[in-house]
Amino acid sequence: MLSHSEIADVLAHGSPAERQYAWRAACHPYYTFTPRENAPERFDEQSAFVDSDALVSICLGGNGSGKTAAGALKCARFVLEKQPPPREDTPFWIISDSYDQSCGVCWFEKLRTLLPAETVDWDRITWYRSTRGWPYSVPLRPWTGRPGKNWVLEFKSYEQGRDKMQSASIGGAWFSEQFPPEIFTEVLRGCRDYMFAGGVWAEFTPIDPDKSVAIEEWYDKPPAGYSFFHTNTDLNTAVSDEWREAFFAAVSDEMQDVRKIGAFASYEGQIYQVFNPKIHLVDNLEVQPGTWHRRAIDWGSSTEHPFVCVWGARDATGRWFIYDEYWDNSQTRTIDEKVQEITERQRWPADAYHGTTYADPSRPDLMLEFARRGIQISPASNAVLQGIECVRSALKMRPAIAGCSGETGLYIDRERCPYLAKQLRTYRWLRSTGKGANPRAARPEPLKKDDDAVDALRYLLYSDSASRGQRPTPLRIDKGADRHGVRFHRDRNWRKGR
């Protein structure tokens, strides 16, 4: 294989036959893929990331910003031109959150097209899923002038855990997607024999706050040998404007910079900053026919943590209408009384439009009691941060939803849902402790105070979104004489209620 400089030299000074060969080679994607020019003032440094010789290079980029393509080009250049392999079959690890990402994206979509065919020892590939072209390992051929010494690309998944990353001596690593800190540390330990310049890098969008804590501290005060870069989705011409518009219309305002330039998410102050009572609260909210109704429950039975049930309806455009809430902070009301209040408060016919009730999954005992009393109930999806982002997305103003200009995705009845309206204004992140290497960073955890109605709303919107297109498993009582406890059954009406 010719290097970039050799291609240029042959094209300038070679014989006609040599120039023809060099020209055909130069048309390969390995030579034609040119990273974008750096624009650090706009948080776009694709070229700087690819060219970086830092011991550890970390690219924080938006979705669709070209960070993975840059990581693949950096990998191809490293193993083909930059760093001679020190021994036979020197491992270079490509690691991601799943084999779908590491094999399907990093290899099949990116590296497979970037590596010239003559550089791969195709007969020695070991396969994870050969029918899909997903390998466990891809040996490369020895470098010219270095017989018996070659790189082998090995594909890994964070799902394997830290133990599977131990004991190996490797020549470098590419992390695609956010990594668990313990796996990063273990892989870095595996580079102890070489630690080549420019041999370890990571590229991801920092949407997982638990995995971002250490990285954010490094970003503020980089350790020796670490360099940080950004890539900006708005500057990537490889993605369409139509995709960009559709994707970011669904991203909350609070997460726009995270998803565009790889900024770290803020976990300080008000959680639902775009909540606007003049827009989201409606007097005498009317729910139109043909909408799909669900309920959600947050358990509680005290002044500090009341029992809350909210009622909502989703229309064909995806807008939500929260039309009632039941709030009980007494400590004397029985389960029978609460069930009676819920069943009598709003008509809930057994039709295609009225489905399950999502409940906080931390109390299966209470779910069982409600199921015994005839409430169709399902465990809510309780991914807190994802649920918060789902509610934020619904609160966004949308230029057009199915032709309805200027609509938001969430409307709430002002009079019937006073507690929910109040908590949307007061819901806060836990304050920073002011300690540690990065004392400005608040914990990515909501304050557990005045959160019961907003928790119920989160259960409702996120559980419905997570289950869309699937059949939920509501708890029902099996009433046979020889049956005890509960059995999970499918909701026949759910598919109709998509």
Side-chain angles (χ1 to χ4, degrees):
M1 181 197 128
L2 297 174
S3 68
H4 283 75
S5 59
E6 289 170 334
I7 288 278
D9 185 63
V10 171
L11 289 175
H13 306 293
S15 67
E18 290 172 334
R19 289 200 299 270
Q20 186 177 19
Y21 171 79
W23 176 255
R24 285 199 302 268
C27 293
H28 190 277
Y30 177 73
Y31 300 100
T32 59
F33 179 14
T34 303
R36 295 190 298 274
E37 292 186 7
N38 296 318
E41 72 283 357
R42 298 191 65 185
F43 293 92
D44 197 55
E45 302 158 289
Q46 193 181 45
S47 288
F49 171 59
V50 171
D51 296 336
S52 172
D53 284 330
L55 293 179
V56 177
S57 301
I58 298 179
C59 180
L60 305 169
N63 297 108
S65 65
K67 60 188 183 300
T68 304
L73 180 61
K74 188 175 180 70
C75 180
R77 289 185 179 179
F78 182 80
V79 297
L80 294 182
E81 290 191 60
K82 186 171 183 179
Q83 181 57 56
R87 67 177 194 263
E88 182 181 7
D89 284 345
T90 307
F92 182 94
W93 283 3
I94 298 167
I95 321 166
S96 192
D97 52 358
S98 66
Y99 276 114
D100 284 21
Q101 176 71 17
S102 61
C103 297
V105 177
C106 296
W107 166 253
F108 195 81
E109 292 184 14
K110 308 295 184 183
L111 275 175
R112 183 180 61 94
T113 64
L114 276 175
L115 296 174
E118 67 271 18
T119 66
V120 177
D121 192 347
W122 297 97
D123 292 337
R124 292 206 300 134
I125 292 178
T126 59
W127 296 102
Y128 170 51
R129 291 183 181 174
S130 58
T131 56
R132 303 189 68 174
W134 291 5
Y136 274 126
S137 66
V138 177
L140 304 182
R141 298 193 183 278
W143 276 36
T144 302
R146 299 183 68 87
K149 297 180 179 180
N150 67 293
W151 289 102
V152 58
L153 306 176
E154 296 184 355
F155 297 87
K156 304 286 184 178
S157 165
Y158 304 151
E159 295 170 346
Q160 293 177 277
R162 184 184 66 85
D163 291 346
K164 296 296 184 180
M165 310 293 172
Q166 292 179 337
S167 302
S169 173
I170 63 176
W174 163 22
F175 293 84
S176 185
E177 303 300 334
Q178 276 186 278
F179 47 80
E182 66 275 10
I183 288 182
F184 181 81
T185 301
E186 198 61 47
V187 172
L188 206 61
R189 184 203 58 79
C191 297
R192 63 193 180 278
D193 292 335
Y194 307 112
M195 204 60 204
F196 295 122
V200 176
W201 61 89
E203 44 81 15
F204 55 88
T205 303
I207 58 175
D208 187 331
D210 291 330
K211 296 176 183 176
S212 294
V213 174
I215 300 168
E216 192 168 0
E217 293 180 355
W218 298 344
Y219 184 88
D220 287 341
K221 189 177 181 180
Y226 285 56
S227 290
F228 283 84
F229 307 89
H230 284 272
T231 49
N232 188 337
T233 305
D234 283 341
L235 299 188
N236 186 14
T237 58
V239 298
S240 70
D241 292 338
E242 292 77 13
W243 173 85
R244 235 187 313 263
E245 182 179 351
F247 179 78
F248 285 104
V251 174
S252 69
D253 291 351
E254 295 88 344
M255 293 292 286
Q256 288 283 324
D257 284 347
V258 179
R259 297 283 191 172
K260 281 189 177 182
I261 62 173
F264 291 104
S266 172
Y267 298 100
E268 296 183 311
Q270 185 179 358
I271 292 178
Y272 296 123
Q273 297 177 16
V274 299
F275 173 68
N276 186 338
K278 294 181 179 179
I279 295 171
H280 298 105
L281 299 184
V282 178
D283 294 320
N284 302 315
L285 179 65
E286 294 185 8
V287 179
Q288 300 300 316
T291 52
W292 295 283
H293 298 246
R294 302 290 182 265
R295 297 175 295 205
I297 290 174
D298 186 66
W299 309 111
S301 58
S302 68
T303 302
E304 293 80 12
H305 293 289
F307 174 94
V308 178
C309 179
V310 297
W311 284 255
R314 173 179 51 82
D315 71 8
T317 72
R319 293 176 297 177
W320 276 96
F321 303 87
I322 310 302
Y323 57 89
D324 205 355
E325 71 178 21
Y326 168 47
W327 173 283
D328 177 35
N329 62 358
S330 71
Q331 300 182 48
T332 58
R333 188 160 295 188
T334 66
I335 291 177
D336 286 328
E337 289 173 322
K338 292 175 181 177
V339 168
Q340 182 179 1
E341 178 71 26
I342 290 172
T343 55
E344 294 181 354
R345 193 178 188 95
Q346 293 287 346
R347 180 173 170 269
W348 206 256
D351 61 21
Y353 293 102
H354 292 74
T356 193
T357 300
Y358 297 108
D360 179 354
S362 68
R363 293 298 304 270
D365 55 328
L366 291 177
M367 292 178 65
L368 173 59
E369 293 300 326
F370 271 65
R372 283 173 172 164
R373 290 161 174 79
I375 297 289
Q376 180 184 327
I377 200 161
S378 301
S381 296
N382 193 24
V384 177
L385 298 178
Q386 295 91 324
I388 286 172
E389 178 62 10
C390 184
V391 176
R392 283 174 164 179
S393 180
L395 287 167
K396 277 177 63 75
M397 289 299 297
R398 305 177 184 182
I401 300 179
C404 302
S405 179
E407 296 283 358
T408 182
L410 180 63
Y411 294 96
I412 301 165
D413 189 291
R414 187 191 310 269
E415 182 177 353
R416 298 187 68 90
C417 306
Y419 294 101
L420 176 59
K422 177 184 177 182
Q423 289 186 358
L424 282 167
R425 290 192 295 268
T426 60
Y427 198 35
R428 292 287 191 275
W429 297 108
L430 279 175
R431 292 181 181 273
S432 169
T433 62
K435 301 178 181 179
N438 185 13
R440 293 175 301 164
R443 294 172 60 186
E445 183 179 339
L447 178 66
K448 293 301 295 179
K449 180 180 179 181
D450 296 331
D451 62 345
D452 308 274
V454 287
D455 278 355
L457 177 68
R458 171 168 58 82
Y459 297 148
L460 177 63
L461 270 61
Y462 185 59
S463 300
D464 178 81
S465 175
S467 299
R468 198 77 52 81
Q470 303 175 4
R471 296 176 183 269
T473 52
L475 280 168
R476 304 270 188 82
I477 294 298
D478 217 328
K479 296 183 178 179
D482 59 342
R483 302 289 185 183
H484 302 278
V486 298
R487 175 180 288 181
F488 286 93
H489 294 269
R490 296 190 183 279
D491 177 2
R492 301 173 186 172
N493 295 328
W494 179 258
R495 183 70 62 181
K496 297 178 183 179
R498 288 180 62 187

